[in-house]
Amino acid sequence: MFSCVTTKKRISTVFLVIILVLTLFCAVLWRVGSVRGAQEAGPAAAEYFDRVDFLNSLGYTVDSSVPEEKKEIEIPYIFSSVYEEYNAVQQKAGYDLSDDRGKQVLLYTLKLCDPERDDVYAHLIVSDSRIIGGDIAALSVEDGFMDPLVPATA
């Protein structure tokens, strides 16, 4: 009887050690995955100049005389048809907001210099200080547009 109890204790101890090792292993994998995910995320956007540099890299010039606007928004869990269309615009630029459903994010609006019109803005969607989406838009009712965050065409 004594050896049976000792064997059960050993088995329990070994089982507990295996569970702890597996838990530690999963935690390390999760941490590595989240670091890798942050590295694969969009361009940095923590500071105003990061956002301006990003837009400059696409060939846009920010009108620095107009302050940027910032507001917190939530990406919906369930996309309406309008949001599905907006996400299709994101996908043209290599972004996908469906991965961020339900997330609170920041929306930055920056006025762009455009020689032909005065109503062109960049909208940058930022999460964890990284750009995860956005658009270039002219807000006119008559001839407005919304384009993905891709390099400007001359």
Side-chain angles (χ1 to χ4, degrees), residues 132-147:
I132 63 167
D135 61 81
I136 304 296
L139 305 179
S140 171
V141 175
E142 295 90 33
D143 62 347
F145 64 83
M146 181 182 293
D147 292 332

PDB file of all heavy atoms in Angstrom, residues 132-147:
ATOM      1  N   ILE A 132      -3.110  50.815 -39.038  1.00  0.00           N
ATOM      2  CA  ILE A 132      -3.761  49.562 -39.423  1.00  0.00           C
ATOM      3  C   ILE A 132      -4.740  49.772 -40.573  1.00  0.00           C
ATOM      4  O   ILE A 132      -5.381  48.824 -41.027  1.00  0.00           O
ATOM      5  CB  ILE A 132      -4.473  48.899 -38.229  1.00  0.00           C
ATOM      6  CG1 ILE A 132      -5.599  49.786 -37.691  1.00  0.00           C
ATOM      7  CG2 ILE A 132      -3.479  48.528 -37.138  1.00  0.00           C
ATOM      8  CD1 ILE A 132      -6.536  49.065 -36.738  1.00  0.00           C
ATOM      9  N   GLY A 133      -4.857  51.005 -41.044  1.00  0.00           N
ATOM     10  CA  GLY A 133      -5.764  51.289 -42.145  1.00  0.00           C
ATOM     11  C   GLY A 133      -5.928  52.780 -42.330  1.00  0.00           C
ATOM     12  O   GLY A 133      -5.294  53.584 -41.653  1.00  0.00           O
ATOM     13  N   GLY A 134      -6.779  53.127 -43.257  1.00  0.00           N
ATOM     14  CA  GLY A 134      -7.059  54.532 -43.510  1.00  0.00           C
ATOM     15  C   GLY A 134      -7.414  54.755 -44.965  1.00  0.00           C
ATOM     16  O   GLY A 134      -7.598  53.817 -45.736  1.00  0.00           O
ATOM     17  N   ASP A 135      -7.508  56.027 -45.332  1.00  0.00           N
ATOM     18  CA  ASP A 135      -7.866  56.362 -46.700  1.00  0.00           C
ATOM     19  C   ASP A 135      -7.439  57.788 -47.014  1.00  0.00           C
ATOM     20  O   ASP A 135      -7.073  58.543 -46.122  1.00  0.00           O
ATOM     21  CB  ASP A 135      -9.381  56.216 -46.909  1.00  0.00           C
ATOM     22  CG  ASP A 135     -10.174  57.143 -45.999  1.00  0.00           C
ATOM     23  OD1 ASP A 135     -10.303  58.336 -46.325  1.00  0.00           O
ATOM     24  OD2 ASP A 135     -10.654  56.673 -44.954  1.00  0.00           O
ATOM     25  N   ILE A 136      -7.489  58.108 -48.280  1.00  0.00           N
ATOM     26  CA  ILE A 136      -7.314  59.464 -48.782  1.00  0.00           C
ATOM     27  C   ILE A 136      -8.663  59.827 -49.382  1.00  0.00           C
ATOM     28  O   ILE A 136      -9.183  59.096 -50.231  1.00  0.00           O
ATOM     29  CB  ILE A 136      -6.211  59.545 -49.867  1.00  0.00           C
ATOM     30  CG1 ILE A 136      -4.891  58.988 -49.340  1.00  0.00           C
ATOM     31  CG2 ILE A 136      -6.074  60.972 -50.381  1.00  0.00           C
ATOM     32  CD1 ILE A 136      -4.272  59.738 -48.190  1.00  0.00           C
ATOM     33  N   ALA A 137      -9.242  60.946 -48.931  1.00  0.00           N
ATOM     34  CA  ALA A 137     -10.602  61.264 -49.367  1.00  0.00           C
ATOM     35  C   ALA A 137     -10.771  62.753 -49.644  1.00  0.00           C
ATOM     36  O   ALA A 137     -10.179  63.591 -48.972  1.00  0.00           O
ATOM     37  CB  ALA A 137     -11.600  60.833 -48.297  1.00  0.00           C
ATOM     38  N   ALA A 138     -11.595  63.032 -50.642  1.00  0.00           N
ATOM     39  CA  ALA A 138     -12.082  64.383 -50.903  1.00  0.00           C
ATOM     40  C   ALA A 138     -13.531  64.388 -50.444  1.00  0.00           C
ATOM     41  O   ALA A 138     -14.311  63.510 -50.812  1.00  0.00           O
ATOM     42  CB  ALA A 138     -11.973  64.733 -52.376  1.00  0.00           C
ATOM     43  N   LEU A 139     -13.883  65.363 -49.646  1.00  0.00           N
ATOM     44  CA  LEU A 139     -15.161  65.325 -48.956  1.00  0.00           C
ATOM     45  C   LEU A 139     -16.319  65.970 -49.704  1.00  0.00           C
ATOM     46  O   LEU A 139     -17.409  66.059 -49.171  1.00  0.00           O
ATOM     47  CB  LEU A 139     -14.998  65.985 -47.579  1.00  0.00           C
ATOM     48  CG  LEU A 139     -13.874  65.389 -46.721  1.00  0.00           C
ATOM     49  CD1 LEU A 139     -13.784  66.114 -45.392  1.00  0.00           C
ATOM     50  CD2 LEU A 139     -14.073  63.901 -46.508  1.00  0.00           C
ATOM     51  N   SER A 140     -16.112  66.400 -50.927  1.00  0.00           N
ATOM     52  CA  SER A 140     -17.160  67.058 -51.703  1.00  0.00           C
ATOM     53  C   SER A 140     -18.299  66.098 -52.014  1.00  0.00           C
ATOM     54  O   SER A 140     -18.081  64.933 -52.357  1.00  0.00           O
ATOM     55  CB  SER A 140     -16.573  67.596 -53.013  1.00  0.00           C
ATOM     56  OG  SER A 140     -17.588  68.051 -53.864  1.00  0.00           O
ATOM     57  N   VAL A 141     -19.528  66.598 -51.904  1.00  0.00           N
ATOM     58  CA  VAL A 141     -20.702  65.781 -52.224  1.00  0.00           C
ATOM     59  C   VAL A 141     -20.773  65.528 -53.726  1.00  0.00           C
ATOM     60  O   VAL A 141     -21.110  64.434 -54.169  1.00  0.00           O
ATOM     61  CB  VAL A 141     -21.991  66.479 -51.718  1.00  0.00           C
ATOM     62  CG1 VAL A 141     -23.222  65.702 -52.161  1.00  0.00           C
ATOM     63  CG2 VAL A 141     -21.955  66.628 -50.220  1.00  0.00           C
ATOM     64  N   GLU A 142     -20.427  66.550 -54.535  1.00  0.00           N
ATOM     65  CA  GLU A 142     -20.547  66.426 -55.990  1.00  0.00           C
ATOM     66  C   GLU A 142     -19.487  65.506 -56.606  1.00  0.00           C
ATOM     67  O   GLU A 142     -19.789  64.667 -57.442  1.00  0.00           O
ATOM     68  CB  GLU A 142     -20.443  67.800 -56.680  1.00  0.00           C
ATOM     69  CG  GLU A 142     -21.564  68.753 -56.351  1.00  0.00           C
ATOM     70  CD  GLU A 142     -21.262  69.607 -55.123  1.00  0.00           C
ATOM     71  OE1 GLU A 142     -20.076  69.943 -54.896  1.00  0.00           O
ATOM     72  OE2 GLU A 142     -22.193  69.922 -54.388  1.00  0.00           O
ATOM     73  N   ASP A 143     -18.236  65.697 -56.207  1.00  0.00           N
ATOM     74  CA  ASP A 143     -17.168  64.939 -56.864  1.00  0.00           C
ATOM     75  C   ASP A 143     -16.145  64.406 -55.856  1.00  0.00           C
ATOM     76  O   ASP A 143     -14.955  64.367 -56.132  1.00  0.00           O
ATOM     77  CB  ASP A 143     -16.482  65.788 -57.934  1.00  0.00           C
ATOM     78  CG  ASP A 143     -15.801  67.027 -57.362  1.00  0.00           C
ATOM     79  OD1 ASP A 143     -16.053  67.374 -56.191  1.00  0.00           O
ATOM     80  OD2 ASP A 143     -14.989  67.641 -58.087  1.00  0.00           O
ATOM     81  N   GLY A 144     -16.627  63.969 -54.720  1.00  0.00           N
ATOM     82  CA  GLY A 144     -15.737  63.413 -53.706  1.00  0.00           C
ATOM     83  C   GLY A 144     -15.221  62.039 -54.101  1.00  0.00           C
ATOM     84  O   GLY A 144     -15.687  61.421 -55.057  1.00  0.00           O
ATOM     85  N   PHE A 145     -14.230  61.586 -53.376  1.00  0.00           N
ATOM     86  CA  PHE A 145     -13.666  60.257 -53.637  1.00  0.00           C
ATOM     87  C   PHE A 145     -13.078  59.704 -52.358  1.00  0.00           C
ATOM     88  O   PHE A 145     -12.848  60.435 -51.389  1.00  0.00           O
ATOM     89  CB  PHE A 145     -12.597  60.317 -54.744  1.00  0.00           C
ATOM     90  CG  PHE A 145     -11.393  61.143 -54.393  1.00  0.00           C
ATOM     91  CD1 PHE A 145     -10.344  60.613 -53.645  1.00  0.00           C
ATOM     92  CD2 PHE A 145     -11.296  62.460 -54.816  1.00  0.00           C
ATOM     93  CE1 PHE A 145      -9.228  61.375 -53.323  1.00  0.00           C
ATOM     94  CE2 PHE A 145     -10.185  63.228 -54.504  1.00  0.00           C
ATOM     95  CZ  PHE A 145      -9.151  62.688 -53.759  1.00  0.00           C
ATOM     96  N   MET A 146     -12.820  58.417 -52.365  1.00  0.00           N
ATOM     97  CA  MET A 146     -12.111  57.756 -51.276  1.00  0.00           C
ATOM     98  C   MET A 146     -11.177  56.733 -51.902  1.00  0.00           C
ATOM     99  O   MET A 146     -11.618  55.829 -52.597  1.00  0.00           O
ATOM    100  CB  MET A 146     -13.071  57.071 -50.316  1.00  0.00           C
ATOM    101  CG  MET A 146     -12.361  56.383 -49.161  1.00  0.00           C
ATOM    102  SD  MET A 146     -13.494  55.536 -48.055  1.00  0.00           S
ATOM    103  CE  MET A 146     -14.373  56.909 -47.365  1.00  0.00           C
ATOM    104  N   ASP A 147      -9.888  56.911 -51.648  1.00  0.00           N
ATOM    105  CA  ASP A 147      -8.864  56.027 -52.201  1.00  0.00           C
ATOM    106  C   ASP A 147      -8.114  55.325 -51.072  1.00  0.00           C
ATOM    107  O   ASP A 147      -8.032  55.839 -49.956  1.00  0.00           O
ATOM    108  CB  ASP A 147      -7.865  56.825 -53.050  1.00  0.00           C
ATOM    109  CG  ASP A 147      -8.483  57.365 -54.327  1.00  0.00           C
ATOM    110  OD1 ASP A 147      -9.436  56.737 -54.839  1.00  0.00           O
ATOM    111  OD2 ASP A 147      -8.018  58.406 -54.819  1.00  0.00           O
TER     112      ASP A 147
END
